[in-house]
Amino acid sequence: MEKTIPELYGSLVFSDKVMREKLPKDMYKALRKTIDNNSHLEVDVANAVAVAMKQWAVENGATHFTHWFQPLTGLTAEKHDSFISPDGNGEVIMEFSGKELIKGEPDASSFPSGGLRATFEARGYTAWDPTSPAFIKDGTLYIPTAFCSYSGEALDKKTPLLRSMEALNKEAVKILKLLGKDDVTSVSTTVGPEQEYFLIDKEDFKLRKDLIFTGRTLLGAMPPKGQEMEDHYFGNLKPRVAAYMHDLDEELWKLGIPAKTKHNEVAPCQHELAPVFDTTNVAVDHNQLTMEIMKKVAEKHGYMCLLHEKPFAGINGSGKHNNWSMSTNTGENLLNPGKTPGDNTQFLLFLSAVIKAVDEYADLMRLSVASAGNDHRLGANEAPPAIISIFLGDELTSVIEAIEQDKFFGKSEKVVMETGASVLPHFAKDTTDRNRTSPFAFTGNKFEFRSLGSSASVASPNVVLNTAVAESLSAFYEVLKDVAPEKLDEAVHALVKDTIIKHKRVIFNGNGYTQEWVDEAAKRGLYNLKSTPEALPSFIADKNVALFTKHHIYSETEIKSRYEIRLENYTKTLHIETLTLQDMVYKQFAPALLNYIDDLTSSVLAKKEIGIAAGSATLEKTITKLSDLYEKVVLATDKLAEDTDKAEAIADAQEQATFYHEVVMADMEEVRGYADAAEPMIPDGYLPYPTYEQMLFYV
Ligand code: ADP
Ligand code: MG
């Protein structure tokens, strides 16, 4: 019998319910304490959990277990071990110990480690993260883990994320205690990432070397119709796409991933999936899994799922909206404006903490979403600009202005807070969400960071957000900690006001796609870090090293190594792109064009032979035009090859990345310009790969 959705949901997850059923009561309690309060896990508890986990996994068909981790490749990694253990009599038993659950020892030497590899030994270890539930996939028990070097340096994305959540927790609880919220013992950040993607036919994909090697098309002219009619956005789903989405939902639900919303996006073949939000750590793990399962299910349906930020030039790329908030263990969303004055004070304090954080660490936020792929989107009038600013909406902005100018505010309710500002109007959520051009928008009870690329892990942007806000809260605590209780309201008001005055330059409610904003942002002194090579040095800027080390997110060594890895990743990406483009031009595009030119030339000659003059002049004109483009394409590719050699020879990593960006990428654009000018003149059948039209309009 088919399972109902509630039965199906989470059926492959070692959930709280399963733990409660399978574990002795005292062990369950001890584990819960570890999960909820980050307390140390005793060996006997680990052993009990291992036994229960194995039993549950085997019952559900698992034969293997793996420590699942997130190295700096941005992907996930796993090495499978079976549960079997020889019993000495030629038979096997299924075994799994607490030791095996808690710690694994994969060889770290083949994962990116930046400078760390030289300094530290190659061995690494994985450590169980009990705050993210284990699950079964393809007959294997997956145990979410953190990945560190033997000397404790983080080699993954999860470790700093957990550290940043801990930092925010600590600072937020301190502030809430000051405000009298004694029942709050922990604060966690929550994230709901909306994921965009493209689906194209698998057969088409297999014929495009650029998609295979780089994830995006490096050549390809726009078809007669693109996305200008906007007829795809929220359009009805084609049956084949609907079948895919249905299957995808089921696979995700089994893994306890609350996939909730799905719809067509702006570009043809583009879609979006949004889950219900979760604590950040779980949301990050789930997003990694979602991307993997999207790809897997796509192949089952004869599709390829493209997660690249810009698979097709001239057509909207894919991003990921990171909805972010903070919530207490008592279930309160700290970015919910609420209806009463008391909530307002607290809300305004946390809101100002975010404003201050974004203004002071905008460079880090920009850096956290920077990648070769995302460079094609940010600032290209389809995604937010590279300038990081905050959208608050009219209502909240007038509240902020009222506080700044000591004016009372309030249309409907004239209740005046002790802090001097009147009660916030209880505004409708959707009035705040109309501006799609802002990178960081307040959307009613959360912020939406919209600059993220579709393929990247959402860990890094959340590390930055959590840490920067923790820093604001820590600074606020210093100001407020010695204030007498009866003076606290006044002090909070003064602090909020002061923060707004200092940081309001980062608030912008207008259209972020315009040149006026670029100019205005420059006047306000905001960062405009246009490309990845330009953004990356912020990682090692003194103020940012100070931030990360103060809150124990990264050590200085970890920062340097990550900076190096990011540079290397950028350079490698562009290097593969240039080689792929050269390969496609020399082996596919130029020969195809030449074939067509040859065919045209043969017709002209044949006509001459039998004495027909009509049309020959026109043909010759076409031949001349195409021959001219042929020459330009080949010469531009020759130059690209030379500049690629030059790029490879540069020793300094930052200089090298910049050269790839400024010179090699410009060369690639030039090659593409000529090729795309010729392509619409080449009849179907000459090119050995599908065009944009074939890929985007027949799925
Ligand atoms: P949109 O208008 O952007 O579609 P939705 O209300 O549908 O907004 O929410 C989009 C995403 O934001 C969903 O993934 C949702 O779960 C998430 N979200 C809602 N509340 C929060 C919160 N407090 N913290 C983090 N994410 C949240
Ligand atoms: Mg959204």
Side-chain angles (χ1 to χ4, degrees):
M1 228 190 49
E2 210 155 282
K3 281 189 174 155
T4 64
I5 290 170
E7 282 168 349
L8 190 78
Y9 190 82
S11 56
L12 297 176
V13 182
F14 189 69
S15 61
D16 186 67
K17 182 164 165 275
V18 179
M19 288 192 278
R20 219 177 320 133
E21 280 166 16
K22 297 258 172 207
L23 284 169
K25 224 187 206 132
D26 53 331
M27 294 294 157
Y28 170 75
K29 269 200 185 142
L31 177 62
R32 248 342 317 163
K33 221 172 113 196
T34 300
I35 295 173
D36 296 337
N37 305 331
N38 276 316
S39 60
H40 183 72
L41 186 84
E42 300 299 333
V43 183
D44 56 334
V45 182
N47 278 328
V49 177
V51 168
M53 242 189 215
K54 183 213 68 185
Q55 193 194 18
W56 169 81
V58 171
E59 276 167 18
N60 284 283
T63 52
H64 288 68
F65 68 92
T66 183
H67 277 200
W68 185 64
F69 58 101
Q70 299 169 24
L72 297 173
T73 54
L75 306 169
T76 57
E78 50 196 73
K79 178 182 127 217
H80 297 212
D81 281 299
S82 75
F83 289 121
I84 63 165
S85 168
D87 71 349
N89 299 315
E91 317 229 318
V92 293
I93 48 169
M94 302 294 262
E95 251 185 3
F96 186 50
S97 68
K99 211 175 123 227
E100 284 171 303
L101 165 65
I102 292 179
K103 192 169 165 187
E105 298 192 6
D107 183 358
S109 60
S110 299
F111 293 104
S113 72
L116 291 178
R117 193 177 301 148
T119 332
F120 303 96
E121 52 177 321
R123 272 189 312 159
Y125 69 91
T126 49
W128 178 37
D129 166 20
T131 61
S132 181
F135 55 91
I136 296 172
K137 193 164 68 72
D138 305 324
T140 296
L141 169 69
Y142 280 70
I143 301 157
T145 59
F147 179 44
C148 297
S149 77
Y150 242 84
S151 28
E153 278 75 25
L155 294 174
D156 68 346
K157 305 222 165 200
K158 187 188 271 281
T159 309
L161 183 72
L162 291 172
R163 291 174 184 163
S164 74
M165 290 175 72
E166 186 47 43
L168 186 129
N169 173 35
K170 194 175 118 203
E171 302 301 337
V173 168
K174 267 166 42 187
I175 289 282
L176 288 169
K177 284 243 146 58
L178 273 184
L179 297 180
K181 285 259 158 90
D182 285 322
D183 52 339
V184 173
T185 52
S186 70
V187 170
S188 44
T189 54
T190 49
V191 162
E194 304 165 54
Q195 175 76 47
E196 292 181 335
Y197 61 101
F198 278 85
L199 286 180
I200 65 161
D201 220 273
K202 197 166 156 182
E203 296 310 312
D204 285 342
F205 176 89
K206 284 200 271 189
L207 294 169
R208 298 263 339 191
K209 294 194 202 195
D210 45 9
L211 286 177
I212 293 172
F213 293 128
T214 74
R216 73 179 182 107
T217 52
L218 302 173
L219 293 172
M222 282 297 288
K225 174 176 185 279
Q227 63 190 44
E228 53 283 274
M229 306 296 284
E230 292 173 336
D231 48 359
H232 193 254
Y233 191 57
F234 282 16
N236 56 348
L237 302 174
K238 290 182 187 151
R240 192 175 154 208
V241 174
Y244 164 77
M245 288 181 171
H246 178 83
D247 219 9
L248 175 61
D249 275 343
E250 284 207 349
E251 290 305 314
L252 295 174
W253 290 339
K254 281 188 218 166
L255 293 168
I257 299 173
K260 172 104 173 139
T261 314
K262 52 188 179 185
H263 61 79
N264 285 347
E265 262 301 330
V266 176
C269 296
Q270 194 187 27
H271 312 281
E272 181 183 293
L273 180 144
V276 178
F277 70 96
D278 215 322
T279 54
T280 304
N281 181 31
V282 173
V284 169
D285 285 2
H286 280 173
N287 183 250
Q288 292 295 118
L289 268 175
T290 300
M291 291 193 284
E292 182 190 322
I293 292 183
M294 276 179 162
K295 289 190 199 159
K296 204 167 88 181
V297 175
E299 291 207 49
K300 250 177 47 194
H301 287 256
Y303 286 129
M304 280 312 269
C305 173
L306 306 181
L307 290 175
H308 193 282
E309 284 75 13
K310 193 73 180 175
F312 305 100
I315 286 177
N316 272 12
S318 301
K320 193 138 57 183
H321 289 176
N322 188 83
N323 295 275
W324 179 93
S325 192
M326 298 165 274
S327 106
T328 65
N329 63 307
T330 52
E332 188 182 359
N333 178 353
L334 294 173
L335 290 179
N336 196 342
K339 286 184 194 166
T340 59
D343 288 346
N344 287 181
T345 311
Q346 184 186 300
F347 166 72
L348 290 171
L349 194 58
F350 279 92
L351 179 74
S352 349
V354 177
I355 295 171
K356 172 176 155 74
V358 174
D359 187 33
E360 285 177 346
Y361 299 101
D363 54 340
L364 277 181
M365 286 179 63
R366 169 66 184 94
L367 153 75
S368 76
V369 299
S371 70
N374 217 15
D375 278 0
H376 297 285
R377 292 175 65 240
L378 299 180
N381 287 357
E382 60 166 272
I387 307 159
I388 301 287
S389 65
I390 301 181
F391 172 84
L392 286 183
D394 292 342
E395 280 168 303
L396 207 46
T397 301
S398 30
V399 172
I400 296 284
E401 277 167 5
I403 294 171
E404 187 198 339
Q405 295 154 14
D406 288 326
K407 273 193 292 205
F408 296 160
F409 171 84
K411 283 176 226 145
S412 45
E413 295 161 283
K414 281 277 179 199
V415 188
V416 176
M417 289 164 73
E418 276 174 60
T419 59
S422 65
V423 176
L424 290 184
H426 186 64
F427 48 87
K429 195 179 149 213
D430 54 356
T431 62
T432 61
D433 195 24
R434 296 211 188 100
N435 188 326
R436 310 300 289 179
T437 67
S438 174
F440 198 70
F442 184 71
T443 53
N445 59 1
K446 61 185 188 294
F447 275 99
E448 187 168 341
F449 188 11
R450 296 183 176 135
S451 310
L452 284 73
S454 48
S455 70
S457 158
V458 296
S460 304
N462 285 297
V463 168
V464 170
L465 260 176
N466 296 346
T467 311
V469 175
E471 171 58 23
S472 296
L473 294 172
S474 146
F476 285 1
Y477 182 79
E478 288 309 310
V479 176
L480 299 173
K481 68 177 182 197
D482 297 323
V483 176
E486 69 278 8
K487 293 258 169 75
L488 193 65
D489 250 359
E490 210 179 299
V492 170
H493 176 63
L495 178 59
V496 168
K497 183 177 160 185
D498 182 52
T499 308
I500 290 167
I501 292 172
K502 273 202 192 117
H503 299 290
K504 66 177 177 185
R505 63 169 187 170
V506 78
I507 299 169
F508 176 64
N509 293 322
N511 183 352
Y513 290 179
T514 60
Q515 184 58 40
E516 287 86 83
W517 170 233
V518 176
D519 300 340
E520 165 71 17
K523 266 193 237 143
R524 293 190 191 184
L526 301 181
Y527 292 99
N528 185 3
L529 302 166
K530 292 196 200 77
S531 68
T532 300
E534 229 179 295
L536 285 177
S538 292
F539 220 155
I540 49 172
D542 288 345
K543 78 172 174 73
N544 297 334
V545 173
L547 172 78
F548 284 134
T549 51
K550 172 180 169 190
H551 293 279
H552 309 288
I553 312 300
Y554 300 116
S555 66
E556 224 175 310
T557 329
E558 286 172 342
I559 293 172
K560 293 238 164 71
S561 81
R562 269 159 214 255
Y563 166 61
E564 266 179 45
I565 291 168
R566 296 280 302 272
L567 277 174
E568 205 178 279
N569 179 284
Y570 179 84
T571 298
K572 278 182 183 164
T573 304
L574 265 88
H575 192 68
I576 294 169
E577 288 187 353
T578 157
L579 294 187
T580 305
L581 181 58
Q582 292 169 42
D583 185 284
M584 281 179 80
V585 170
Y586 288 139
K587 292 197 201 151
Q588 297 185 315
F589 183 82
L593 178 55
L594 194 57
N595 270 344
Y596 181 47
I597 294 173
D598 283 351
D599 287 352
L600 290 177
T601 312
S602 307
S603 335
V604 174
L605 291 176
K607 278 176 174 221
K608 282 205 173 131
E609 221 159 90
I610 54 173
I612 298 178
S616 289
T618 316
L619 271 173
E620 277 168 28
K621 235 164 88 187
T622 307
I623 294 169
T624 308
K625 212 158 143 189
L626 287 175
S627 301
D628 179 48
L629 285 169
Y630 174 86
E631 186 176 16
K632 284 186 166 137
V633 156
V634 173
L635 288 180
T637 311
D638 292 346
K639 168 149 193 310
L640 172 65
E642 280 166 29
D643 286 336
T644 303
D645 287 343
K646 280 187 204 153
E648 256 191 301
I650 298 172
D652 179 78
Q654 178 68 50
E655 223 177 277
Q656 190 180 34
T658 305
F659 189 86
Y660 269 101
H661 173 68
E662 285 173 2
V663 180
V664 175
M665 228 172 79
D667 287 351
M668 288 175 65
E669 291 295 312
E670 178 147 5
V671 171
R672 179 173 192 150
Y674 299 134
D676 290 1
E679 198 195 279
M681 298 165 70
I682 306 173
D684 291 343
Y686 279 89
L687 290 172
Y689 50 77
T691 60
Y692 273 25
E693 178 186 330
Q694 284 156 330
M695 284 186 283
L696 291 166
F697 288 93
Y698 303 100
V699 178

